[in-house]
Amino acid sequence: MGDSGPVIGIDLGTTNSVVATVERGVAKCIPSRQGGNLTPSVVAIAKNGKRLVGALAKRQAVTNPEGTVVALKRFMGRKWSDPKVQDGRVKYQYTLAAGEHDDLRVVLPDKQYAPPELSALVLAELKADADAYFSKPVSRAVITVPAYFNDGQRQATKDAGVIAGLDVLRIINEPTAAALAYGYGKQVAGKVAVFDLGGGTFDISVLEINRGVFEVKSTGGDTLLGGEDFDNRIIEWLVFTFAKEFNVDLRQERMAMQRLRDAAEKAKCELSTVKETQISLPFLYTPKGGGQALHLQRSLTRDKLEELTADLVERCIRHCEQTLGEAKVKPSELKEVLLVGGMTRMPRVQDAVRRFFGKEPSKGVHPDEVVALGAAVQAAALTQAESDVLLLDVTPQSLGVAVAGGYTRVLIPKNTTVPTSVTEEFATSKDGQTVVKIIVLQGEDQLASKNEILGEFILTGLRPASRGAVTIEVAFDISAEGIVSVSGKDRETGQKQSITVSASGGLTPDELQKILAEHAPITPDHEPALPQAVSADPALSGLRDRVNGLIKDLEDLIPQAKHALEKSQFGADALQKAERAVARGKGAVGGSDIEALNAVVQELERTTNLFRGLAKSRTAGNG
């Protein structure tokens, strides 16, 4: 592993993703070609059929909600039949269907996608950023996942990396990565807790750090608890109050719901720094049979937001109580509590952490970037001949086998340090039994049916005997890479069967090979997504013509719409926005920044469509 080629660490996030590397002993983020260190984890199929990723995909979500996918990480490795997915999915964002193997599929205008296939587009975008940064292809990466991801979800993430053309050196837990970044290159010693509340998931991990050795003591969390849930509470409140005022249910209006989602996220972020914010969405709903457009204007206070989300914060604290108990660590024994993830900026979350742990949480790490930096540290450690970093991680969930009565017998409890191995003896459960099926399970429930099946195999040729007379030895082995091997052996004859568990991430080996053959590897359509790669002259010329045409259309429509807005409380604001859009268009049209021109085109298109509708309704009224 002493190859000197570049390696990267990737935080594949629910809301945003980040890529990082280690250069000359310093971990640093690699900037996106679209600007900044954060790449929105958004994928879209534009109306012209092009694939968009990142900022460009997010920018057009309001006008193309049916072709845009966000928060896909929540569905990685899950099955359509899983009731938690059905009950906890992010509402109003996707059309979901059961695929050939009854696993989750996302239906977009061009085809059905498996979640790893769409996540691969985000990873490919990050890989392209790294390629541009190093001026040569980068293929090796460490990718992070929530600590409480199960084996299937981890495999789905690894599948996404393979589809994107990456050699995934290791999948590591996000809180562990944050601790690596926190302690890297420092003489840090003691126990730390990492409180990681991101866009879609919550994790809490307790680690002990001692001069470059990072030992995870316990980990816990919830893969369906994050910023999306806080946004949904605001959206539900807005939908309810709108229905109460106008007797209109917005939940079936895809464009209106996307506008609500954007406004909810913006309001939530603003309330981290102010006590009150205004949510103003003019022309949110227009009756299909004609009639006056309806507007939404609400005042949302920090107190109201905290009331709406109090149970979500309390769920985080309950996980903290359980995880510290499993680690046998008291809050007073912790040296630091690290806050990771964008949702930890919320004052109510910080207050809850402060009260539970009895100390001021550390803000010495960047909540959005620290996980990627830690992944880069681990990537560097894995590829260097000598490294001062040693990571001792744990199994996030218990492993065991199904036993008589439909129960689970745990052989490796959660939070066991890996690598590890264990052997246990079992007896036959029926008279004359000559065959035994060994079903490998992952999960915390006593009932086998409620845990995930990782694999199964059959041991044959047992001696016919009375119940309990024949014993079978079952051995579990987990490598440092997290690969699970299970074997069963007849103690009398020595006959043995074994499997290496290959978790299903929603893609069969054939499906994965088919995707690789189709995309080799998958990439976004770079023409719209990568402005600097577009042929400059024709692209600039076409965009400038489009901007000029939209400016003219809007200038013609503004006078026609003014009368329709005179009696509306939104009139002055809407007209000012239109005039600002025209001014921005005129300011950008002479430049050569293709990304800026694309942004102006989208802004002008939205405003023009709005005012065209106003002018049309005014004409109909005069008729």
Side-chain angles (χ1 to χ4, degrees):
M1 287 198 176
D3 192 329
S4 60
V7 293
I8 54 176
I10 293 176
D11 172 15
L12 181 61
T14 305
T15 307
N16 295 296
S17 295
V18 185
V19 58
T21 190
V22 173
E23 290 186 317
R24 293 181 289 276
V26 177
K28 59 187 294 188
C29 290
I30 294 174
S32 163
R33 292 155 300 149
Q34 297 179 10
N37 292 338
L38 305 183
T39 295
S41 301
V42 183
V43 174
I45 305 300
K47 296 187 185 296
N48 62 3
K50 298 291 186 180
R51 283 198 297 252
L52 305 177
V53 179
L56 291 177
K58 184 176 181 179
R59 196 177 295 149
Q60 54 82 71
V62 170
T63 57
N64 180 30
E66 67 280 354
T68 304
V69 183
V70 301
L72 189 69
K73 178 177 175 178
R74 286 190 152 195
F75 301 99
M76 292 288 279
R78 293 189 180 276
K79 298 290 184 182
W80 172 249
S81 56
D82 184 347
K84 289 179 70 177
V85 175
Q86 294 177 24
D87 296 340
R89 68 179 184 267
V90 182
K91 299 176 183 177
Y92 323 120
Q93 288 297 308
Y94 328 118
T95 302
L96 302 177
E100 180 182 352
H101 299 282
D102 199 32
D103 52 318
L104 199 64
R105 288 292 190 272
V106 180
V107 181
L108 288 176
D110 59 340
K111 69 168 194 171
Q112 289 188 6
Y113 289 85
E117 193 175 3
L118 287 173
S119 290
L121 284 166
V122 178
L123 291 173
E125 186 74 6
L126 298 172
K127 179 184 181 303
D129 290 336
D131 291 347
Y133 179 82
F134 289 109
S135 299
K136 58 181 173 181
V138 176
S139 61
R140 298 177 301 162
V142 167
I143 304 176
T144 63
V145 295
Y148 216 60
F149 258 23
N150 63 31
D151 213 42
Q153 292 167 305
R154 291 166 190 268
Q155 185 61 49
T157 304
K158 195 166 187 176
D159 286 348
V162 171
I163 296 168
L166 291 168
D167 174 14
V168 183
L169 302 176
R170 188 166 294 182
I171 299 291
I172 68 168
N173 295 335
E174 290 166 3
T176 306
L180 282 172
Y182 162 75
Y184 179 59
K186 304 171 188 172
Q187 294 299 313
V188 176
K191 296 182 177 72
V192 300
V194 181
F195 184 99
D196 184 354
L197 184 59
T201 59
F202 170 69
D203 287 319
I204 173 69
S205 289
V206 178
L207 302 93
E208 185 163 7
I209 306 174
N210 187 12
R211 297 186 178 182
V213 178
F214 296 77
E215 182 179 2
V216 182
K217 294 295 185 181
S218 67
T219 192
D222 190 333
T223 56
L224 290 172
L225 174 59
E228 289 280 322
D229 301 285
F230 287 75
D231 293 347
N232 284 339
R233 294 297 173 83
I234 300 174
I235 293 168
E236 289 165 5
W237 174 70
L238 292 173
V239 168
F240 175 78
T241 57
F242 194 86
K244 188 175 180 180
E245 182 178 357
F246 298 112
N247 197 29
V248 172
D249 186 351
L250 293 171
R251 289 176 294 180
Q252 304 307 315
E253 301 294 324
R254 297 178 70 88
M255 191 173 293
M257 290 305 299
Q258 185 59 51
R259 290 182 67 190
L260 285 176
R261 181 161 297 283
D262 290 350
E265 182 182 9
K266 181 173 180 287
K268 177 191 70 178
C269 294
E270 288 175 350
L271 288 173
S272 291
T273 55
V274 299
K275 293 282 190 179
E276 185 174 0
T277 188
Q278 299 297 317
I279 300 174
S280 179
L281 296 172
F283 310 100
L284 183 62
Y285 177 80
T286 302
K288 291 180 172 60
Q292 186 176 3
L294 303 179
H295 319 295
L296 182 147
Q297 188 164 19
R298 298 284 184 273
S299 174
L300 180 61
T301 65
R302 184 184 293 178
D303 288 343
K304 182 63 178 178
L305 174 61
E306 292 177 356
E307 175 191 330
L308 293 171
T309 60
D311 63 309
L312 300 179
V313 178
E314 180 58 32
R315 277 168 63 188
C316 295
I317 298 304
R318 287 202 300 270
H319 284 299
C320 292
E321 291 174 344
Q322 180 179 344
T323 303
L324 262 69
E326 291 169 350
K328 296 180 173 57
V329 172
K330 297 177 182 178
S332 58
E333 297 177 56
L334 296 170
K335 178 183 178 66
E336 295 273 14
V337 179
L338 308 181
L339 295 182
V340 178
M343 276 308 304
T344 59
R345 292 186 174 93
M346 182 176 177
R348 178 68 182 84
V349 171
Q350 294 181 9
D351 289 344
V353 171
R354 191 178 296 111
R355 286 198 302 271
F356 175 75
F357 288 98
K359 54 171 57 68
E360 190 68 29
S362 171
K363 299 177 184 176
V365 296
H366 194 296
D368 297 319
E369 299 175 359
V370 66
V371 171
L373 295 173
V377 169
Q378 177 66 1
L382 290 173
T383 54
Q384 292 171 357
E386 296 183 5
S387 174
D388 295 331
V389 175
L390 174 61
L391 173 61
L392 300 174
D393 216 332
V394 299
T395 56
Q397 297 186 42
S398 299
L399 294 165
V401 295
V403 295
Y407 295 101
T408 301
R409 171 65 175 175
V410 173
L411 274 73
I412 300 179
K414 66 175 292 190
N415 295 321
T416 299
T417 301
V418 294
T420 189
S421 61
V422 65
T423 301
E424 190 163 326
E425 290 186 358
F426 295 86
T428 52
S429 58
K430 297 179 181 178
D431 292 339
Q433 185 174 351
T434 60
V435 174
V436 64
K437 179 186 283 188
I438 297 173
I439 301 175
V440 183
L441 302 171
Q442 181 177 45
E444 308 309 316
D445 206 285
Q446 289 185 339
L447 293 177
S449 60
K450 293 190 177 182
N451 291 322
E452 183 186 7
I453 297 177
L454 296 185
E456 58 184 62
F457 60 94
I458 295 175
L459 184 62
T460 61
L462 303 181
R463 173 176 61 87
S466 59
R467 172 184 174 182
V470 177
T471 56
I472 298 101
E473 186 179 87
V474 177
F476 271 65
D477 182 82
I478 307 178
S479 71
E481 302 288 332
I483 296 175
V484 180
S485 300
V486 184
S487 65
K489 185 174 72 172
D490 181 348
R491 289 292 304 275
E492 287 187 5
T493 66
Q495 185 167 326
K496 185 176 181 180
Q497 288 288 337
S498 65
I499 59 167
T500 297
V501 173
S502 178
S504 170
L507 292 177
T508 66
D510 288 344
E511 284 180 313
L512 182 57
Q513 289 304 315
K514 182 180 178 182
I515 292 172
L516 287 170
E518 286 176 356
H519 300 287
I522 195 168
T523 59
D525 283 322
H526 280 218
E527 185 172 295
L530 306 178
Q532 51 272 59
V534 178
S535 177
D537 291 339
L540 279 173
S541 176
L543 280 171
R544 286 169 178 160
D545 289 345
R546 181 67 177 142
V547 171
N548 282 324
L550 287 167
I551 288 173
K552 184 179 183 305
D553 289 346
L554 193 51
E555 286 180 328
D556 289 342
L557 287 167
I558 287 174
Q560 300 175 45
K562 275 187 176 179
H563 187 72
L565 289 167
E566 282 176 358
K567 298 180 181 180
S568 169
Q569 59 180 313
F570 300 102
D573 182 54
L575 287 169
Q576 288 173 7
K577 286 182 178 178
E579 288 164 357
R580 286 198 295 269
V582 168
R584 276 193 284 270
K586 290 180 176 178
V589 76
S592 58
D593 187 335
I594 293 178
E595 184 177 350
L597 285 168
N598 270 319
V600 166
V601 164
Q602 292 176 22
E603 181 180 8
L604 286 169
E605 283 178 341
R606 286 196 298 270
T607 311
T608 301
N609 289 335
L610 170 64
F611 275 74
R612 189 173 285 124
L614 287 169
K616 184 177 179 180
S617 64
R618 172 62 185 157
T619 302
N622 287 338

